[in-house]
Amino acid sequence: MSAISSHPNLTALLTITRREMTRILRIWAQTLVPPAITMTLYFLIFGSLIGRRIGDMGGYDYMDFIVPGLVMMAIIQNSYGNISSSFFGAKFGRHIEEMLVSPMPNWVILGGYVAGAVLRGLLVGVIVLCIAMLFTHVRIPHPLITITTVLLGATIFSLAGFINAVYAKKFDDVAIVPTFILTPLTYLGGVFYSVKLLPDWAQVMTHANPIFYMVNAFRYGLLDSSDVPIGVAYALMIGFVLVLGALGLWLLKRGIGLRS
Amino acid sequence: MSSIPALEIHELRKVYATGVEALKGVSLIVQPGDFFALLGPNGAGKSTLIGIVSSLVNSSSGSVKVFGVDIEQDREAAMRLLGLVPQEVNFNFFEKPFDILCNYAGFYGIARAEARLRAEQELRRAQLWDKAHTMARTLSGGMKRRLMIARAMMTRPRLLILDEPTAGVDIEIRRGMWRILKEVNAAGTTVILTTHYLEEAESLCRNLAIINGGQIIENGPMKTLLAKLDVEGFLLDIDGELPATLPQINGVQVRAEDSHTLDLEMPRAMDLNSVFASLDAAGIRVRSMRTKTNRLEELFMRLTGGKEAAA
């Protein structure tokens, strides 16, 4: 009797995903609690305290307006952070070699890590959404758009985190991109304000920010309101997934940062 | 037994980005079922060679086949036949041995239920079952090395490569690991071993290759290679103190190691009785005798130009 399952690649993919989930739950104090605390403070300070003085934003109560952006921000940051730290940790600890010497195709390695990162993003997203419900009434008029936006956004930033980890040579390299690129793009991506409040030149620049499209697509799913056409947002998100996915596979094939 | 070599390396070259040429056209054949030693001084190219075979290092040119499967043309099939125990510990210290083994099997597409059964078997064989559910970082050095052998055996490889598996472990644990490796080999798995302990290679392996400066400088059966040694060395412990003038024995180099020990180097074919008779005539009574060096070590030192660090 052959010990190999009838779908060995699926078994391998589920193994990596399971391992990632085990890691996320084992270190829950680092992976799940911090975004819950941070987002609670955001809701409390920006939504409840300052938000009352701001009034409406884009036709919605300010608290309602920032919920989609903050949930998306948490998903993006955690998907990115999960894969960049886990994959770089595997490189640093050399247990990435367990996978590199195995018969797994590259797409399984990439897919397994991305699935783990997306699951953490989803888990954190649900936690943050539950916290938001303590402050406002959350309704989901477009559930399909909401869930697909979350999946696409989490996948894009998982792939970006993976590429970061492949090139990283030390832990500082994993922190540089979130600090100098991801955080500014997130804050300037329309999480806290409508792009219509900005001067024309700033509106044009905002349209070059991929996070802006994700936040607005997600806001459309929750509030039925968006600063950009939803079709454009989807086209860009799918395009990013394809380009970053292809880049990730190419890096694995060439063994850049992994094989000497 | 299959006539396809377990490992067939042809004209393998590796030039690193730094310009260092680690392998200069290595060709090597290891037959199925063999227990093979790959020896060489530090920096000789052993780890590069193992890295290429296990697909951790990209070759510059040449070919590698595992049981006839080219690692470039069908990497997945080739890797399915191969098990690797690397020189450095490379499992996640924050996982438990049982999970490390089950996950490793999962990477090879082995179903979880089967992986759990095998994990228990392998951990028991490695005498680690009582540590199955403790964090791997708490294991001792010897346990970590045994865990890596257990992990490699999870996939029942037909070719097992071990890169200095017993480095830094005490003799009792080392002998326990030898027992496991002998069992694995007796069950039909081809084993390739690099080691710093040349006595280990001499007692375990049937064939060997010596690599130096990125080239194979000797390759063949252990017995044939050892037979090439025409000189043997002995240390003799004597009763009392050595005389001020040592006896001259034809064909034998005689040297005082200290005031109570004689160091002899003599042709292998020479009759020991005549040597003892000459010593007796000089008033030197031998209390005990031991071989001066490990035979393989002697061969190794000669072939590699006396570089100190072996393997």
Side-chain angles (χ1 to χ4, degrees):
Chain A
M1 185 190 74
S2 171
I4 306 295
S5 72
S6 52
H7 303 288
N9 289 339
L10 180 63
T11 301
L13 185 95
L14 291 175
T15 301
I16 300 176
T17 309
R18 182 205 301 257
R19 191 167 83 161
E20 285 302 288
M21 277 309 291
T22 305
R23 172 185 167 275
I24 291 163
L25 297 176
R26 187 179 67 232
I27 53 170
W28 56 273
Q30 294 173 50
T31 53
L32 303 178
V33 174
I37 292 173
T38 308
M39 291 304 150
T40 303
L41 291 171
Y42 274 128
F43 287 131
L44 198 65
I45 296 166
F46 290 101
S48 190
L49 300 177
I50 299 174
R52 278 185 204 150
R53 294 172 184 270
I54 292 174
D56 281 3
M57 178 71 69
Y60 291 89
D61 179 76
Y62 188 67
M63 172 63 92
D64 291 343
F65 182 86
I66 64 169
V67 165
L70 288 176
V71 173
M72 200 65 194
M73 185 165 94
I75 291 169
I76 286 169
Q77 288 177 342
N78 282 276
S79 300
Y80 190 98
N82 194 76
I83 200 164
S84 59
S85 62
S86 178
F87 195 80
F88 181 72
K91 267 176 61 176
F92 188 79
R94 300 186 67 163
H95 47 274
I96 190 68
E97 291 175 3
E98 289 181 331
M99 284 173 267
L100 297 179
V101 301
S102 80
M104 270 191 294
N106 291 331
W107 68 264
V108 173
I109 298 175
L110 182 62
Y113 270 97
V114 167
V118 168
L119 281 172
R120 174 166 159 193
L122 286 178
L123 202 54
V124 168
V126 168
I127 290 169
V128 174
L129 204 58
C130 290
I131 291 168
M133 286 175 178
L134 300 174
F135 294 90
T136 184
H137 175 65
V138 177
R139 58 187 188 89
I140 306 177
H142 302 293
L144 192 62
I145 289 176
T146 304
I147 191 71
T148 50
T149 304
V150 165
L151 289 174
L152 285 168
T155 304
I156 289 167
F157 281 91
S158 300
L159 289 166
F162 177 82
I163 292 163
N164 185 178
V166 165
Y167 279 110
K169 289 189 169 67
K170 52 190 187 298
F171 279 103
D172 288 352
D173 297 340
V174 176
I176 282 172
V177 175
T179 306
F180 293 103
I181 299 175
L182 194 58
T183 304
L185 285 179
T186 308
Y187 280 85
L188 297 172
V191 171
F192 295 102
Y193 54 83
S194 168
V195 73
K196 289 166 187 159
L197 295 180
L198 300 174
D200 288 347
W201 64 268
Q203 285 194 35
V204 171
M205 285 187 70
T206 302
H207 280 77
N209 180 354
I211 294 177
F212 170 68
Y213 296 90
M214 290 170 213
V215 168
N216 273 282
F218 192 60
R219 187 169 284 143
Y220 183 82
L222 289 186
L223 296 181
D224 202 15
S225 165
S226 170
D227 286 338
V228 292
I230 198 73
V232 173
Y234 268 93
L236 276 170
M237 286 191 289
I238 291 168
F240 269 112
V241 168
L242 294 175
V243 170
L244 293 174
L247 181 57
L249 287 175
W250 181 79
L251 290 172
L252 280 172
K253 187 173 189 301
R254 292 289 306 274
I256 290 169
L258 302 170
R259 300 179 205 266
S260 47
Chain B
M1 189 160 284
S2 166
S3 60
I4 300 171
L7 181 65
E8 188 176 3
I9 296 172
H10 181 67
E11 282 298 311
L12 197 62
R13 292 177 192 277
K14 174 64 184 179
V15 182
Y16 284 102
T18 54
V20 173
E21 190 175 12
L23 296 178
K24 300 171 182 171
V26 168
S27 294
L28 185 68
I29 288 178
V30 178
Q31 294 300 337
D34 200 357
F35 208 132
F36 191 93
L38 181 63
L39 308 176
N42 288 330
K46 297 181 310 299
S47 292
T48 299
L49 186 68
I50 290 173
I52 292 172
V53 173
S54 57
S55 82
L56 287 172
V57 176
N58 296 320
S59 66
S60 301
S61 66
S63 69
V64 177
K65 289 180 182 174
V66 180
F67 286 97
V69 181
D70 191 297
I71 63 165
E72 292 286 337
Q73 290 171 11
D74 194 352
R75 196 193 79 86
E76 288 175 36
M79 292 305 109
R80 213 169 275 290
L81 299 166
L82 187 74
L84 175 69
V85 179
Q87 195 172 337
E88 303 283 341
V89 175
N90 72 341
F91 50 73
N92 190 341
F93 282 11
F94 298 99
E95 288 180 354
K96 296 165 183 171
F98 190 79
D99 295 331
I100 289 169
L101 266 54
C102 288
N103 287 337
Y104 186 76
F107 299 151
Y108 285 70
I110 295 169
R112 196 75 178 176
E114 173 68 18
R116 293 172 70 87
L117 288 174
R118 288 189 185 186
E120 181 174 347
Q121 286 171 8
E122 294 303 331
L123 286 171
R124 285 191 187 282
R125 175 154 69 173
Q127 298 180 324
L128 289 172
W129 181 239
D130 58 328
K131 302 286 182 187
H133 299 287
T134 57
M135 281 290 175
R137 70 172 184 271
T138 64
L139 300 181
S140 69
M143 288 175 180
K144 285 173 182 157
R145 296 206 167 268
R146 276 169 13 229
L147 179 59
M148 289 202 293
I149 295 176
R151 182 183 61 179
M153 290 311 297
M154 282 294 287
T155 61
R156 307 287 188 263
R158 290 178 66 193
L159 172 60
L160 178 65
I161 300 178
L162 304 104
D163 195 359
E164 297 182 25
T166 56
V169 300
D170 67 41
I171 187 65
E172 191 181 343
I173 293 171
R174 200 183 312 160
R175 288 185 189 279
M177 290 167 75
W178 291 4
R179 177 186 54 78
I180 295 172
L181 295 178
K182 281 178 179 171
E183 275 177 28
V184 166
N185 181 245
T189 302
T190 308
V191 180
I192 298 176
L193 175 81
T194 77
T195 175
H196 262 293
Y197 305 106
L198 298 181
E199 61 172 295
E200 182 170 275
E202 193 173 350
S203 70
L204 289 174
C205 301
R206 291 185 284 277
N207 294 290
L208 85 152
I210 296 178
I211 185 170
N212 193 22
Q215 292 174 308
I216 300 285
I217 56 170
E218 195 62 74
N219 183 10
M222 183 78 71
K223 284 179 182 169
T224 309
L225 293 176
L226 290 177
K228 286 187 178 179
L229 278 177
D230 54 353
V231 175
E232 278 187 303
F234 298 99
L235 291 173
L236 309 182
D237 297 317
I238 60 154
D239 268 340
E241 294 213 348
L242 283 168
T245 308
L246 295 176
Q248 301 283 323
I249 307 174
N250 202 19
V252 180
Q253 279 189 0
V254 181
R255 194 174 63 81
E257 178 81 4
D258 57 44
S259 60
H260 299 279
T261 313
L262 264 184
D263 180 337
L264 301 186
E265 204 166 88
M266 54 189 281
R268 279 169 61 85
M270 191 168 183
D271 183 5
L272 269 173
N273 287 330
S274 62
V275 176
F276 282 118
S278 302
L279 292 174
D280 201 36
I284 298 172
R285 294 190 60 79
V286 178
R287 188 194 297 158
S288 63
M289 180 179 89
R290 58 187 188 273
T291 50
K292 194 174 78 177
T293 56
N294 173 281
R295 292 184 306 152
L296 183 56
E297 189 169 308
E298 182 70 27
L299 175 68
F300 181 88
M301 297 294 274
R302 282 162 187 253
L303 290 171
T304 59
K307 286 195 181 180
E308 234 174 76

